Amino acid sequence: QVQLVASGGGQVHTGGSLNVSCAASGRALNQYAMGWFRRTPRKEREFVGAIEWSSAITRYADSVRDRFSLSRDNAKNTVFLQMNDLKPEDTAVYYCAAAEGVAMASALEYEFWGRGTQVTVSS
């Protein structure tokens, strides 16, 4: 089992930045791809980005590419999502997830999920 805890959410104004992190316990993350998804009351779970265990490959949703950046520290079992130039439409609960293998955009491929962290962007 892998336990994931996301933190670092908060409230910012349009154009602001936040860095959310996902800390894992139970197993080492160094063989897992890590993904971030978000959910709003109007949208189902939406893919944000994913990073492979080696950090060599990252994937991003078109809506966040060039604004969001993923990184990970396998020694600390932690993954980071740096969010810049935030927009009101980025407001959501953000979830991290772990999957064996490659970085994938489908939530169905992820086995372990953490509780979300709220990100609110006001105009």
Side-chain angles (χ1 to χ4, degrees):
Q1 288 290 327
V2 176
Q3 291 80 42
L4 303 172
V5 178
S7 62
Q11 183 168 354
V12 297
H13 292 293
T14 298
S17 297
L18 282 173
N19 189 304
V20 293
S21 62
C22 177
S25 61
R27 290 183 190 175
L29 282 184
N30 58 5
Q31 295 300 319
Y32 288 88
M34 298 298 296
W36 284 92
F37 294 81
R38 63 188 182 187
R39 177 179 285 169
T40 69
R42 296 185 177 182
K43 284 186 179 180
E44 294 185 1
R45 195 163 38 190
E46 176 188 26
F47 173 72
V48 175
I51 182 169
E52 290 200 347
W53 70 270
S54 66
S55 301
I57 296 176
T58 54
R59 299 179 63 178
Y60 297 95
D62 290 342
S63 59
V64 306
R65 189 172 288 115
D66 298 329
R67 299 188 297 122
F68 290 12
S69 177
L70 283 162
S71 61
R72 62 190 296 165
D73 185 337
N74 287 336
K76 296 182 178 179
N77 258 12
T78 304
V79 179
F80 305 94
L81 176 65
Q82 175 67 39
M83 302 184 290
N84 298 324
D85 190 22
L86 282 161
K87 304 175 181 182
E89 51 264 42
D90 294 319
T91 295
V93 179
Y94 284 72
Y95 299 87
C96 60
E100 292 189 56
V102 301
M104 295 163 285
S106 171
L108 297 176
E109 301 294 339
Y110 289 83
E111 182 178 3
F112 303 106
W113 291 82
R115 293 187 177 182
T117 184
Q118 176 72 46
V119 171
T120 302
V121 185
S122 57
S123 56

